[in-house]
Amino acid sequence: MIPSTQIKGESTTINIGKVVCIGRNYFDHVKELGNEVPDKPVLFIKPSTSVIHDGEQIHIPDISQDCHHEIELAVLIGKVGKNVTEAEAMDLVIGYAVAIDLTLRDVQSIQKSKGLPWEIAKGFDTSCPLSDFVPAQKVVDPHNLNMTLWVNDEMRQNGSTSLMMRRIPEIISEASQFFTLLPGDVLLTGTPAGVSQVKSGDSIKAFIEDVGELIVSVK
Ligand code: MG
């Protein structure tokens, strides 16, 4: 089935394309993983088949014993964009959602240590839960939103999109140098500190001010 979404209050169904993600975009999260602040944006892609929706289940692949949650603001692209300038970038944005970038941290660490790509740790099926999108015009300032994630009602992440080091226009501009952005593509904008493990049976709730709420469970 082709993953699709809707913008709240609109009837059109949007097929989701690629999910372009930025890593290491919040200083406190870079520090908690012992990474360096990158001089260039760290970009990677989750395939559309990684997307699940509110109320659905995460399936952690058997090869991992350490799957982490990362709450992120998701941005929905509504127009074709290639070599977009920062000044033009926000014209491409038609919606926002709550996302969780699920990461097989143990697998990612092995891949990193060997200099290998991260895709199996980041792009596996069910690794990208997304809430419904709200129209972009409903979000007055996407760079000033509180974001909170709970696992089984225990707060694990509590931050603000104001702490992003590279803001949405810069991420769009940078991503569009390499990947033509198409309507239905999604950007994930990075996670604040507090990432931690989720296990079978856990319930995860993620909330971003003005954007919405997302609840998923782990099979
Ligand atoms: Mg992330």
Side-chain angles (χ1 to χ4, degrees), residues 92-116:
L92 270 63
V93 176
I94 56 168
Y96 295 99
V98 182
I100 305 172
D101 169 14
L102 289 155
T103 305
L104 308 178
R105 194 70 71 199
D106 47 356
V107 176
Q108 186 193 31
S109 296
I110 293 167
Q111 297 297 96
K112 275 162 69 176
S113 70
K114 293 182 177 172
L116 294 171

PDB file of all heavy atoms in Angstrom, residues 92-116:
ATOM      1  N   LEU A  92       7.590  26.375  -0.078  1.00  0.00           N
ATOM      2  CA  LEU A  92       7.358  24.962  -0.417  1.00  0.00           C
ATOM      3  C   LEU A  92       6.570  24.229   0.670  1.00  0.00           C
ATOM      4  O   LEU A  92       6.077  23.130   0.446  1.00  0.00           O
ATOM      5  CB  LEU A  92       8.702  24.234  -0.586  1.00  0.00           C
ATOM      6  CG  LEU A  92       9.335  24.202  -1.960  1.00  0.00           C
ATOM      7  CD1 LEU A  92       9.694  25.574  -2.455  1.00  0.00           C
ATOM      8  CD2 LEU A  92      10.578  23.320  -1.962  1.00  0.00           C
ATOM      9  N   VAL A  93       6.484  24.826   1.864  1.00  0.00           N
ATOM     10  CA  VAL A  93       5.951  24.110   3.029  1.00  0.00           C
ATOM     11  C   VAL A  93       4.433  24.251   3.084  1.00  0.00           C
ATOM     12  O   VAL A  93       3.919  25.372   3.091  1.00  0.00           O
ATOM     13  CB  VAL A  93       6.576  24.666   4.325  1.00  0.00           C
ATOM     14  CG1 VAL A  93       5.954  23.999   5.553  1.00  0.00           C
ATOM     15  CG2 VAL A  93       8.093  24.488   4.308  1.00  0.00           C
ATOM     16  N   ILE A  94       3.713  23.107   3.113  1.00  0.00           N
ATOM     17  CA  ILE A  94       2.248  23.186   3.204  1.00  0.00           C
ATOM     18  C   ILE A  94       1.690  22.603   4.499  1.00  0.00           C
ATOM     19  O   ILE A  94       0.498  22.718   4.760  1.00  0.00           O
ATOM     20  CB  ILE A  94       1.547  22.512   1.998  1.00  0.00           C
ATOM     21  CG1 ILE A  94       1.977  21.048   1.845  1.00  0.00           C
ATOM     22  CG2 ILE A  94       1.812  23.306   0.725  1.00  0.00           C
ATOM     23  CD1 ILE A  94       1.086  20.278   0.859  1.00  0.00           C
ATOM     24  N   GLY A  95       2.518  21.959   5.312  1.00  0.00           N
ATOM     25  CA  GLY A  95       1.966  21.398   6.545  1.00  0.00           C
ATOM     26  C   GLY A  95       3.049  20.993   7.521  1.00  0.00           C
ATOM     27  O   GLY A  95       4.232  20.907   7.168  1.00  0.00           O
ATOM     28  N   TYR A  96       2.582  20.737   8.761  1.00  0.00           N
ATOM     29  CA  TYR A  96       3.479  20.270   9.824  1.00  0.00           C
ATOM     30  C   TYR A  96       2.824  19.100  10.548  1.00  0.00           C
ATOM     31  O   TYR A  96       1.596  19.051  10.680  1.00  0.00           O
ATOM     32  CB  TYR A  96       3.747  21.389  10.843  1.00  0.00           C
ATOM     33  CG  TYR A  96       4.499  22.556  10.261  1.00  0.00           C
ATOM     34  CD1 TYR A  96       3.818  23.698   9.852  1.00  0.00           C
ATOM     35  CD2 TYR A  96       5.880  22.520  10.109  1.00  0.00           C
ATOM     36  CE1 TYR A  96       4.503  24.783   9.310  1.00  0.00           C
ATOM     37  CE2 TYR A  96       6.567  23.589   9.565  1.00  0.00           C
ATOM     38  CZ  TYR A  96       5.875  24.723   9.167  1.00  0.00           C
ATOM     39  OH  TYR A  96       6.559  25.781   8.623  1.00  0.00           O
ATOM     40  N   ALA A  97       3.662  18.186  11.034  1.00  0.00           N
ATOM     41  CA  ALA A  97       3.159  17.052  11.805  1.00  0.00           C
ATOM     42  C   ALA A  97       4.162  16.701  12.894  1.00  0.00           C
ATOM     43  O   ALA A  97       5.291  17.206  12.913  1.00  0.00           O
ATOM     44  CB  ALA A  97       2.927  15.842  10.894  1.00  0.00           C
ATOM     45  N   VAL A  98       3.712  15.806  13.777  1.00  0.00           N
ATOM     46  CA  VAL A  98       4.599  15.243  14.791  1.00  0.00           C
ATOM     47  C   VAL A  98       5.167  13.942  14.216  1.00  0.00           C
ATOM     48  O   VAL A  98       4.417  13.116  13.694  1.00  0.00           O
ATOM     49  CB  VAL A  98       3.813  14.902  16.074  1.00  0.00           C
ATOM     50  CG1 VAL A  98       4.762  14.367  17.147  1.00  0.00           C
ATOM     51  CG2 VAL A  98       3.030  16.096  16.567  1.00  0.00           C
ATOM     52  N   ALA A  99       6.476  13.771  14.310  1.00  0.00           N
ATOM     53  CA  ALA A  99       7.108  12.537  13.823  1.00  0.00           C
ATOM     54  C   ALA A  99       7.958  11.923  14.928  1.00  0.00           C
ATOM     55  O   ALA A  99       8.386  12.610  15.856  1.00  0.00           O
ATOM     56  CB  ALA A  99       8.002  12.836  12.621  1.00  0.00           C
ATOM     57  N   ILE A 100       8.170  10.626  14.819  1.00  0.00           N
ATOM     58  CA  ILE A 100       9.169   9.952  15.659  1.00  0.00           C
ATOM     59  C   ILE A 100      10.157   9.271  14.712  1.00  0.00           C
ATOM     60  O   ILE A 100       9.764   8.484  13.857  1.00  0.00           O
ATOM     61  CB  ILE A 100       8.532   8.929  16.616  1.00  0.00           C
ATOM     62  CG1 ILE A 100       7.445   9.593  17.475  1.00  0.00           C
ATOM     63  CG2 ILE A 100       9.604   8.298  17.513  1.00  0.00           C
ATOM     64  CD1 ILE A 100       6.628   8.609  18.310  1.00  0.00           C
ATOM     65  N   ASP A 101      11.422   9.663  14.845  1.00  0.00           N
ATOM     66  CA  ASP A 101      12.500   9.038  14.068  1.00  0.00           C
ATOM     67  C   ASP A 101      13.019   7.883  14.909  1.00  0.00           C
ATOM     68  O   ASP A 101      13.829   8.086  15.819  1.00  0.00           O
ATOM     69  CB  ASP A 101      13.591  10.096  13.799  1.00  0.00           C
ATOM     70  CG  ASP A 101      14.879   9.505  13.241  1.00  0.00           C
ATOM     71  OD1 ASP A 101      14.872   8.346  12.802  1.00  0.00           O
ATOM     72  OD2 ASP A 101      15.893  10.238  13.264  1.00  0.00           O
ATOM     73  N   LEU A 102      12.507   6.676  14.638  1.00  0.00           N
ATOM     74  CA  LEU A 102      12.980   5.511  15.396  1.00  0.00           C
ATOM     75  C   LEU A 102      14.325   5.064  14.849  1.00  0.00           C
ATOM     76  O   LEU A 102      14.546   5.040  13.637  1.00  0.00           O
ATOM     77  CB  LEU A 102      11.948   4.380  15.336  1.00  0.00           C
ATOM     78  CG  LEU A 102      10.716   4.729  16.173  1.00  0.00           C
ATOM     79  CD1 LEU A 102       9.504   3.999  15.679  1.00  0.00           C
ATOM     80  CD2 LEU A 102      10.957   4.460  17.654  1.00  0.00           C
ATOM     81  N   THR A 103      15.209   4.739  15.758  1.00  0.00           N
ATOM     82  CA  THR A 103      16.605   4.468  15.412  1.00  0.00           C
ATOM     83  C   THR A 103      17.087   3.226  16.141  1.00  0.00           C
ATOM     84  O   THR A 103      16.975   3.154  17.371  1.00  0.00           O
ATOM     85  CB  THR A 103      17.475   5.673  15.835  1.00  0.00           C
ATOM     86  OG1 THR A 103      16.956   6.857  15.231  1.00  0.00           O
ATOM     87  CG2 THR A 103      18.923   5.482  15.425  1.00  0.00           C
ATOM     88  N   LEU A 104      17.629   2.281  15.401  1.00  0.00           N
ATOM     89  CA  LEU A 104      18.257   1.106  16.033  1.00  0.00           C
ATOM     90  C   LEU A 104      19.662   1.536  16.437  1.00  0.00           C
ATOM     91  O   LEU A 104      20.602   1.495  15.645  1.00  0.00           O
ATOM     92  CB  LEU A 104      18.299  -0.068  15.052  1.00  0.00           C
ATOM     93  CG  LEU A 104      16.951  -0.423  14.394  1.00  0.00           C
ATOM     94  CD1 LEU A 104      17.131  -1.573  13.409  1.00  0.00           C
ATOM     95  CD2 LEU A 104      15.899  -0.754  15.445  1.00  0.00           C
ATOM     96  N   ARG A 105      19.783   2.036  17.687  1.00  0.00           N
ATOM     97  CA  ARG A 105      21.026   2.707  18.088  1.00  0.00           C
ATOM     98  C   ARG A 105      22.210   1.754  18.058  1.00  0.00           C
ATOM     99  O   ARG A 105      23.320   2.138  17.687  1.00  0.00           O
ATOM    100  CB  ARG A 105      20.862   3.321  19.489  1.00  0.00           C
ATOM    101  CG  ARG A 105      21.949   4.311  19.836  1.00  0.00           C
ATOM    102  CD  ARG A 105      21.847   5.596  19.031  1.00  0.00           C
ATOM    103  NE  ARG A 105      20.704   6.385  19.442  1.00  0.00           N
ATOM    104  CZ  ARG A 105      20.156   7.356  18.689  1.00  0.00           C
ATOM    105  NH1 ARG A 105      20.643   7.653  17.503  1.00  0.00           N
ATOM    106  NH2 ARG A 105      19.107   8.013  19.125  1.00  0.00           N
ATOM    107  N   ASP A 106      21.986   0.493  18.462  1.00  0.00           N
ATOM    108  CA  ASP A 106      23.095  -0.466  18.471  1.00  0.00           C
ATOM    109  C   ASP A 106      23.563  -0.757  17.043  1.00  0.00           C
ATOM    110  O   ASP A 106      24.762  -0.803  16.761  1.00  0.00           O
ATOM    111  CB  ASP A 106      22.709  -1.757  19.222  1.00  0.00           C
ATOM    112  CG  ASP A 106      21.346  -2.334  18.837  1.00  0.00           C
ATOM    113  OD1 ASP A 106      20.611  -1.716  18.027  1.00  0.00           O
ATOM    114  OD2 ASP A 106      21.007  -3.422  19.349  1.00  0.00           O
ATOM    115  N   VAL A 107      22.598  -0.901  16.136  1.00  0.00           N
ATOM    116  CA  VAL A 107      22.951  -1.170  14.732  1.00  0.00           C
ATOM    117  C   VAL A 107      23.629   0.054  14.130  1.00  0.00           C
ATOM    118  O   VAL A 107      24.641  -0.046  13.437  1.00  0.00           O
ATOM    119  CB  VAL A 107      21.674  -1.540  13.929  1.00  0.00           C
ATOM    120  CG1 VAL A 107      22.004  -1.732  12.449  1.00  0.00           C
ATOM    121  CG2 VAL A 107      21.023  -2.797  14.508  1.00  0.00           C
ATOM    122  N   GLN A 108      23.097   1.246  14.431  1.00  0.00           N
ATOM    123  CA  GLN A 108      23.698   2.482  13.913  1.00  0.00           C
ATOM    124  C   GLN A 108      25.146   2.621  14.391  1.00  0.00           C
ATOM    125  O   GLN A 108      26.033   3.016  13.628  1.00  0.00           O
ATOM    126  CB  GLN A 108      22.882   3.696  14.364  1.00  0.00           C
ATOM    127  CG  GLN A 108      23.372   5.007  13.748  1.00  0.00           C
ATOM    128  CD  GLN A 108      22.773   6.229  14.420  1.00  0.00           C
ATOM    129  OE1 GLN A 108      22.468   6.212  15.613  1.00  0.00           O
ATOM    130  NE2 GLN A 108      22.595   7.289  13.650  1.00  0.00           N
ATOM    131  N   SER A 109      25.396   2.298  15.668  1.00  0.00           N
ATOM    132  CA  SER A 109      26.762   2.420  16.206  1.00  0.00           C
ATOM    133  C   SER A 109      27.729   1.505  15.467  1.00  0.00           C
ATOM    134  O   SER A 109      28.860   1.896  15.158  1.00  0.00           O
ATOM    135  CB  SER A 109      26.792   2.066  17.694  1.00  0.00           C
ATOM    136  OG  SER A 109      26.017   2.984  18.396  1.00  0.00           O
ATOM    137  N   ILE A 110      27.271   0.283  15.172  1.00  0.00           N
ATOM    138  CA  ILE A 110      28.133  -0.656  14.429  1.00  0.00           C
ATOM    139  C   ILE A 110      28.395  -0.107  13.027  1.00  0.00           C
ATOM    140  O   ILE A 110      29.541  -0.089  12.561  1.00  0.00           O
ATOM    141  CB  ILE A 110      27.476  -2.054  14.357  1.00  0.00           C
ATOM    142  CG1 ILE A 110      27.418  -2.670  15.762  1.00  0.00           C
ATOM    143  CG2 ILE A 110      28.232  -2.971  13.394  1.00  0.00           C
ATOM    144  CD1 ILE A 110      26.525  -3.894  15.855  1.00  0.00           C
ATOM    145  N   GLN A 111      27.325   0.370  12.367  1.00  0.00           N
ATOM    146  CA  GLN A 111      27.481   0.907  11.003  1.00  0.00           C
ATOM    147  C   GLN A 111      28.449   2.091  11.009  1.00  0.00           C
ATOM    148  O   GLN A 111      29.316   2.207  10.144  1.00  0.00           O
ATOM    149  CB  GLN A 111      26.119   1.343  10.436  1.00  0.00           C
ATOM    150  CG  GLN A 111      25.092   0.225  10.270  1.00  0.00           C
ATOM    151  CD  GLN A 111      25.497  -0.826   9.284  1.00  0.00           C
ATOM    152  OE1 GLN A 111      26.042  -1.870   9.657  1.00  0.00           O
ATOM    153  NE2 GLN A 111      25.256  -0.573   8.008  1.00  0.00           N
ATOM    154  N   LYS A 112      28.269   2.994  12.007  1.00  0.00           N
ATOM    155  CA  LYS A 112      29.144   4.167  12.097  1.00  0.00           C
ATOM    156  C   LYS A 112      30.601   3.749  12.284  1.00  0.00           C
ATOM    157  O   LYS A 112      31.503   4.285  11.648  1.00  0.00           O
ATOM    158  CB  LYS A 112      28.717   5.059  13.282  1.00  0.00           C
ATOM    159  CG  LYS A 112      27.604   6.016  12.929  1.00  0.00           C
ATOM    160  CD  LYS A 112      26.880   6.569  14.144  1.00  0.00           C
ATOM    161  CE  LYS A 112      27.661   7.507  14.997  1.00  0.00           C
ATOM    162  NZ  LYS A 112      26.813   8.059  16.099  1.00  0.00           N
ATOM    163  N   SER A 113      30.814   2.767  13.180  1.00  0.00           N
ATOM    164  CA  SER A 113      32.199   2.375  13.487  1.00  0.00           C
ATOM    165  C   SER A 113      32.874   1.746  12.271  1.00  0.00           C
ATOM    166  O   SER A 113      34.090   1.808  12.132  1.00  0.00           O
ATOM    167  CB  SER A 113      32.232   1.412  14.672  1.00  0.00           C
ATOM    168  OG  SER A 113      31.700   0.165  14.288  1.00  0.00           O
ATOM    169  N   LYS A 114      32.068   1.162  11.387  1.00  0.00           N
ATOM    170  CA  LYS A 114      32.640   0.544  10.178  1.00  0.00           C
ATOM    171  C   LYS A 114      32.613   1.486   8.988  1.00  0.00           C
ATOM    172  O   LYS A 114      33.000   1.092   7.882  1.00  0.00           O
ATOM    173  CB  LYS A 114      31.851  -0.721   9.819  1.00  0.00           C
ATOM    174  CG  LYS A 114      32.000  -1.843  10.833  1.00  0.00           C
ATOM    175  CD  LYS A 114      31.214  -3.064  10.372  1.00  0.00           C
ATOM    176  CE  LYS A 114      31.409  -4.242  11.325  1.00  0.00           C
ATOM    177  NZ  LYS A 114      30.506  -5.350  10.987  1.00  0.00           N
ATOM    178  N   GLY A 115      32.097   2.700   9.172  1.00  0.00           N
ATOM    179  CA  GLY A 115      32.003   3.644   8.065  1.00  0.00           C
ATOM    180  C   GLY A 115      30.944   3.241   7.046  1.00  0.00           C
ATOM    181  O   GLY A 115      31.028   3.606   5.868  1.00  0.00           O
ATOM    182  N   LEU A 116      29.936   2.503   7.488  1.00  0.00           N
ATOM    183  CA  LEU A 116      28.887   2.018   6.579  1.00  0.00           C
ATOM    184  C   LEU A 116      27.625   2.881   6.692  1.00  0.00           C
ATOM    185  O   LEU A 116      27.425   3.565   7.697  1.00  0.00           O
ATOM    186  CB  LEU A 116      28.543   0.564   6.936  1.00  0.00           C
ATOM    187  CG  LEU A 116      29.669  -0.446   6.699  1.00  0.00           C
ATOM    188  CD1 LEU A 116      29.307  -1.807   7.292  1.00  0.00           C
ATOM    189  CD2 LEU A 116      29.954  -0.579   5.213  1.00  0.00           C
TER     190      LEU A 116
END
